[in-house]
Amino acid sequence: MQSNARAFPWIALFFLLPTLVGLTVFRLVPVVWAFIMSFTRWQIFDQPRWVGLDNYIQILTSPAAAKVFLNTAWFTLLYVPGAIALATVLAVLLNNALRISAFFRGAFFLPYITSTVAVALAWRWIFSTKFGILNNLLLWLGVSAPPAWLADPTWALPAVAIVAIWKDSGFYMLLLLAGLQTIDPSVYEAAKIDGARRIRQFFEITIPLLSRSLFFVLIIALVRSTQTFELTYALTGGGPNGASSTLAFFIYENAFVHFQMGYASALAYLLCFVVGLITLTNFYVRRRWVHE
C-alpha cells in the first residue's frame, strides 16, 4: 500500500507531462523570449542587438505610439459602456420563461460565434458610402450628407466600435442572464407591494444584486477592448492614416509588416502592463460598488 501511495504522484506527473510540456514550449518559453526580445533591436533576418530600454523609451516618446494609445483609450470608452449597456438591457428584457425569449437569446448570441471576417464583410456593405444600408437610411431620415464611415478619420474608429459592440453584446448578455437568474423573485414581489415601479426596481434591486456579474463583464470587456485586432484589420486596416489603429493592431503591424520584433515585443509588454493595471484598479474599486 505504501509503495503504491509513493508511486501515485509520479503516475499523476506522467499523465500531466504532455500538458506541462505543451504549456512550457508554447506558452512559457515564448513569453520569456518575448520579454528578452523587448530589450533588443531585431528585424527578423538580422542578428538581435541588445539596446536596453531604447524600445520602451522610443514608444513613450513616439508621436505614432501616442496616437495609437489615444485611439485605444477612445475605443475603450466607446466599446465598454456601449457593450455593457446593450447587454444589460437585452438580459433584462429576455429574463423570462417565454419560448420566444429562447429564440432571441440564440439570435443575439449568434454574432459572437460568427466568423469575424464574415461579420466585417457584412458590415463593410452596411457602412458603404453610396450603397450601404446605413447611409441610405440616414438619407431617408433627412441627413443630407451621411459620413463615409470607414474612410473618414473621425468616424472610422467609432464604426469599428459599433461592430465590436454588436458582435460581443450577446456573449455579455448570457453572462448577465446567469446573474439575473440568481436573484430571488420574492425581492421584486416585496418591492411591488411597496409600490416600487419597474424603473426603481431596476436601479435599486437589479443593478445592486447584479453588480458581481457586471463587475465580471466589465473586466472581460476592458481586456477585450485593448486587444481588438481582427475587426480593425478586416474593416479599416488601421486607416485612414492610422485613425483606427489600436494597440493590438499596432503590435501586429510592427511585428509582421515592418518586422521590428524587438519594438513589437516591447509594445506587447506595455499592453500587458496596461491590462494588468486596469484589472488591479477595478479590483480595488469594486469594494465601493459591488454588492457582497
Side-chain angles (χ1 to χ4, degrees), residues 37-44 46-52 54-55 58 261-263:
M37 276 200 305
S38 70
F39 298 101
T40 66
R41 187 154 295 152
W42 183 34
Q43 288 194 292
I44 213 170
D46 301 329
Q47 289 294 325
R49 183 164 57 88
W50 186 266
V51 293
D54 284 3
N55 287 328
Q58 185 181 348
M261 292 298 179
Y263 188 73

Side-chain angles (χ1 to χ4, degrees), residues 7-20:
F8 178 76
W10 293 104
I11 295 172
L13 184 62
F14 176 77
F15 283 107
L16 287 172
L17 194 60
T19 301
L20 293 174

Side-chain angles (χ1 to χ4, degrees), residues 96-167:
N96 53 62
L98 298 176
R99 289 187 178 181
I100 192 70
S101 295
F103 167 77
F104 281 111
R105 290 174 192 174
F108 287 124
F109 181 70
L110 187 61
Y112 180 75
I113 59 174
T114 303
S115 166
T116 304
V117 175
V119 167
L121 288 173
W123 276 92
R124 282 181 71 90
W125 279 102
I126 293 172
F127 284 132
S128 176
T129 306
K130 292 184 178 180
F131 309 107
I133 298 171
L134 183 57
N135 276 6
N136 278 283
L137 177 62
L138 292 174
L139 287 169
W140 182 75
L141 291 173
V143 178
S144 58
W149 293 92
L150 301 179
D152 189 334
T154 304
W155 290 101
L157 192 63
V160 176
I162 289 169
V163 181
I165 290 168
W166 176 84
K167 190 176 190 305

Side-chain angles (χ1 to χ4, degrees), residues 169-277:
S169 293
F171 172 63
Y172 302 142
M173 174 199 70
L174 289 184
L175 296 177
L176 294 177
L177 265 171
L180 284 171
Q181 290 173 3
T182 63
I183 299 176
D184 190 347
S186 64
V187 179
Y188 292 104
E189 292 172 7
K192 286 179 184 178
I193 294 172
D194 290 339
R197 297 183 178 180
R198 289 193 176 184
I199 294 293
R200 188 176 177 186
Q201 290 176 30
F202 177 76
F203 285 105
E204 296 189 10
I205 297 175
T206 304
I207 294 297
L209 296 181
L210 193 62
S211 57
R212 289 185 180 181
S213 298
L214 283 169
F215 174 74
F216 179 65
V217 169
L218 174 64
I219 294 296
I220 295 176
L222 282 168
V223 172
R224 287 182 67 85
S225 70
T226 61
Q227 297 176 341
T228 180
F229 167 74
E230 296 96 336
L231 282 176
T232 304
Y233 181 83
L235 283 171
T236 65
N241 297 323
S244 62
S245 179
T246 52
L247 191 50
F249 183 83
F250 194 55
I251 293 170
Y252 157 80
E253 199 171 36
N254 279 279
F256 301 107
V257 177
H258 305 303
F259 299 112
Q260 296 178 353
M261 292 298 179
Y263 188 73
S265 297
L267 283 167
Y269 267 90
L270 279 178
L271 172 60
C272 182
F273 174 77
V274 168
V275 171
L277 185 62

